Amino acid sequence: MPEQTTPEMEAKWRTFWEKEKVYAFNPKGKKIFSVDTPPPTVSGAMHMGHAFSYAQQDFIVRYHRMKGENVLYPFGTDDNGLPTERLVEKLKNVKSKDMSRADFITLCLATLKEITPAFVQDWKNLGISADYALTYSTIDDTTRKISQQAFLDLYTDKKVYHKAFPTLWCPECQTAIAQAELEDSEKDTFFSTLLFIAGKEKLPIATTRPELLPACVAVFVNPADTRYTHLIGKEATTPLGKKVPIKADESAQIDKGTGVLMICSYGDKYDADAIARHKLTPVIIRNKDGTLNVAPYQGMKPKEARSRILKELKEKGLVTDQKQIKHVVNVHDKCRTFVEFLPTDQWFIQIIENKKKLITQGKKVTWYPTQMFKRYENWVNGLEWDWSISRDRHFGIPLPVWFCETCKETVVATPAELPVDPLQTKKTCQTCKKPCTPETKVLDTWATSSLSPQIVSQLVKGKAVVPFSLRPQAHDIIRTWAFYTIVRALYHENTLPWNDIIISGNVSMGGEKMSKSKGNGVDPQPIMAQYGADALRYWAATSKLGEDLDYQEKDIVTAQKFITKLKNAAQFIFSNLTIPSKQPGLEETDRLFLIQLNKTIQEATDAFESYEYSRAKAVTDHFFWKVFADNYIELVKTRVYSGSPEGKTSAAWTLSTAFLTLTKLFAPFTPYITEEIYQTYFKKQEKTSSIHTSAWPIPIKLKATKNDEVTWTTLLDIITLVRTEKSKAQKSMKVPVSLILPAPEQKLLASVLDDLKAVTTTQTITTGKRTVTILA
RNA sequence: GGCCCUUUAGGCUAGUGGUUAGACCGGCUCGUUUACACCGAGCAUGCACCAGUUCGAUUCUGGUAAGGGCCACCA
């Protein structure tokens, strides 16, 4: 085997795979195994979590390829949304809002062109066996066209609508966001009791958001709350002196706070619902950047306004109680900014009315692990709003829509125009023949990535259609990517997007999820450079689907040792033996060993069939180390060095066959070293150019007898016993011994006795109770 | 507050309704140089707790505790 560093060796085979198109999809082939590969977000480099989950999906894909299926494993990059926008702003030191949309998009596309190849290279280095010729970007022309067309289809079907509505608003990103983009954040805040006045009575109201007082439009009490029933229908004066109605509402909880609550436009969805329910007139006191627009708090950020109002009210003695509490607030997942509620014009896809159907659809998909479906179900059940798909940002796929300046009608693009940027395209109203104003918003990035199966279908010119075979993804995006993809497949194709979904776990470090924000991240790149991608992959195969794995560098070292062991085994086999081309007559030891190999093939195959790659690896590992290396090789060593020609030939064939089989069983996990071994030792006898397109092993046809199992275990038991005795006596494994074995055991082992004597350095065997006597 | 998951050796993890629960790292005792010191042999140490089902439970059921996740609440 040529001496190379691991990165050199891996680079060599990467080039080879690319040249030989080992991972190419065959558009004419049958038995398609289609994978809806997650397109990683272009916002930096591959992190350990990526490496972990992509490696796991790759094990499965490689298994299916070796089984002879026509694998469609595309690659995509998600680069049309806020994360990319932020990345470009950072890299190029610009602010998108200071540029025209066209200029900013041009800059983004140019920047992506610079950075994407290096970004994707990490995946290639990891040995992800995608067909990189089938690569899409969620911002490229084809995708823009597909996404806009899909939007138009939903518009025609009246599944998408446009509405002015109080929605979740990120004041930092200055865009509407979806429920799925909310994250929790625990913050310290003051829970203040403010004094409202009703006639001559004091009416204390507890709140965490006094800055909303100017927007207070009503006060609610529970109709069953006898403390306040007499006040219902009267007016209350807010601490700022404004008069608001006191209304009865069942949703006001008697035991919460003071039992009285203020309704402000808008604090949260509760306020929005309450205002709609009681037909109150909202007072909008917020600008889109979150600042207030009412005197004397004009231009103040909420936090500033809050302390200012509290200070003023305290001076007037209108704050009767105040305590510091921790409470959980919603923040935007992209920027961790406190999310506000603002009435704006937005586009929505109907999902609420189809919740039931969407749960049914989700149930039809086979989830691995199964309980992940619960996560999906819970999320859909808990949905309260339709999917807000418009974003007030620059970089993204534009909504293909204009509004007539005269009749205010919505005008949509024609299919022939797509992809289109309304800001760049003039439109006239069909009815009024008057000019239209372009919609300036862009689509939520999920509105495009949820079409990934359809996008991939286009890449292969419709040769693969939904449902795809498999969707691999992480569990944190069940509520977004998985859910939205199911929505789109239902709405556009009236089917499932895929048959199976596999969910990978997280990488943790000391029990905590590895993440940049926690500062406990480890980058995969230097690990791959030092130990090799194979080692990183081998490590990722130790935990099963959906399970988290705690990262420890020493486990990567273990993986590296495996690779060395594999190389050394090859060294032994091929430097000492001539391998016969056909199966010779087999010695009993060899036949018994091969029966064990057959069991392993079966177990590994069964495991892979149910996506249990970690079990496949574990059984193969066990067989390789414990059966093949520790016992079988030792058993036949003497025969290999000084046996009869027949004995040698049998051992040679057995060793080579078992080793090729093992190499193939390991190929999905460690593609580089197994390719190296395949090319070096097996290429001549095997038909396919790469191990990764070679046939997955099937059990070898062998004669079997009913005693095979017990003979094999007895043989190993005796070897272990002898080794134990030698160890206990602190003797070398080479010291001669004499054995006493019961007559039935001797009979059972008759055909393997020579090998047994050789491996245990036994000189004599006599009959009696099983005993080992050391002779030196 | 609701739902879900986890709890196995010092660390990280497999696994099982039934004689000695399996790897790896670490520890200990040794050995070995015609595959492998990135080695080999051997030893020690473990099923969170409490009930129940069962002839038998680490495994199934229920509860407790601890940890994690998702969601909700944010008067």
Side-chain angles (χ1 to χ4, degrees), chain A residues 286-328:
Chain A
R286 320 291 295 278
N287 297 312
K288 291 196 171 176
D289 62 357
T291 58
L292 275 69
N293 63 13
V294 285
Y297 313 107
Q298 221 141 11
M300 286 187 189
K301 292 196 166 166
K303 223 177 160 180
E304 200 183 344
R306 183 181 305 170
S307 39
R308 171 80 177 269
I309 287 181
L310 276 176
K311 188 168 163 260
E312 289 172 7
L313 297 186
K314 271 183 192 165
E315 281 164 6
K316 292 181 189 165
L318 294 170
V319 180
T320 59
D321 187 33
Q322 192 172 60
K323 54 187 169 189
Q324 190 160 29
I325 57 162
K326 275 189 194 300
H327 82 155
V328 179

Side-chain angles (χ1 to χ4, degrees), chain A residues 430-446:
Chain A
Q430 290 290 352
T431 17
C432 319
K433 311 287 174 204
K434 292 280 167 60
C436 292
T437 315
E439 169 63 275
T440 57
K441 296 181 188 350
V442 297
L443 287 162
D444 171 18
T445 163
W446 296 115

Side-chain angles (χ1 to χ4, degrees), chain A residues 88-101:
Chain A
V88 172
E89 285 181 332
K90 203 174 115 196
L91 287 177
K92 299 294 172 184
N93 198 22
V94 295
K95 270 277 177 197
S96 75
K97 295 268 163 171
D98 300 339
M99 301 171 71
S100 79
R101 174 152 106 188

Side-chain angles (χ1 to χ4, degrees), chain A residues 415-429:
Chain A
E417 289 177 299
L418 305 181
V420 68
D421 181 354
L423 292 181
Q424 308 288 310
T425 310
K426 293 229 186 312
K427 199 84 178 170
T428 22
C429 177

Side-chain angles (χ1 to χ4, degrees), chain A residues 662-700:
Chain A
L662 282 166
T663 307
K664 287 185 175 190
L665 295 178
F666 281 124
F669 302 109
T670 51
Y672 293 103
I673 187 61
T674 52
E675 184 74 279
E676 174 90 7
I677 288 170
Y678 181 86
Q679 297 294 337
T680 312
Y681 303 111
F682 296 109
K683 185 61 182 292
K684 277 181 198 155
Q685 65 179 82
E686 290 280 304
K687 291 174 218 105
T688 57
S689 68
S690 163
I691 190 171
H692 302 298
T693 46
S694 73
W696 183 254
I698 51 168
I700 302 156

